[in-house]
Amino acid sequence: MVYLLHFNRRINPTRPTQHYLGYAKDLDERIREHRLGRGARLCQVAKERGITFRLAEVWIGDRSLERRLKRQKNSRRFCPICQKGVGDRVWGVGNSDLKAGVSSNDAVFL
């Protein structure tokens, strides 16, 4: 699964980073690792600074989907917390938000 974490505030006030996009076979275990500050440097820094996160979005897909989403360099666009009110949308189904050829088989809102 590909997932998006939304941090409750920016990791660095001078940079826009407020999301982490990742891939996991066992999402529950991966989230536990992130909450402990392990697995991704960004989550470690967030924990050190007292910044919490929420699981914002999950897509059924593999590492190739993760790479396609990361290449777009704008995770905020995929975040229903940031977009307010688009949490009930199905990403990739007649939607221009996902470019790079992502189909409904690649990205499904859960």
Side-chain angles (χ1 to χ4, degrees):
M1 283 194 233
V2 179
Y3 61 95
L4 180 69
L5 302 180
H6 173 91
F7 295 98
N8 70 327
R9 67 178 199 264
R10 291 178 177 184
I11 305 299
N12 181 336
T14 63
R15 295 184 164 223
T17 304
Q18 195 170 357
H19 298 92
Y20 175 80
L21 191 97
Y23 168 81
K25 289 184 179 179
D26 182 345
L27 186 58
D28 290 335
E29 179 59 28
R30 187 66 172 148
I31 296 298
R32 271 191 288 281
E33 289 177 6
H34 287 316
R35 292 210 187 278
L36 294 171
R38 295 192 307 237
R41 178 68 179 142
L42 188 62
C43 292
Q44 178 184 358
V45 171
K47 182 172 174 51
E48 291 168 358
R49 295 179 183 179
I51 300 170
T52 60
F53 66 81
R54 295 184 353 194
L55 180 62
E57 185 72 279
V58 177
W59 297 274
I60 296 171
D62 57 13
R63 288 199 177 273
S64 65
L65 174 61
E66 177 196 19
R67 279 190 301 275
R68 287 190 303 225
L69 294 173
K70 281 185 174 182
R71 265 188 243 126
Q72 294 185 44
K73 306 263 186 206
N74 190 0
S75 295
R76 180 182 182 94
R77 176 170 37 162
F78 308 126
C79 180
I81 296 166
C82 292
Q83 298 302 316
K84 294 180 185 156
V86 295
D88 57 348
R89 293 172 71 178
V90 178
W91 295 106
V93 179
N95 185 327
S96 63
D97 289 317
L98 288 180
K99 296 180 181 161
V102 177
S103 73
S104 60
N105 293 330
D106 296 321
V108 178
F109 176 78
L110 295 176

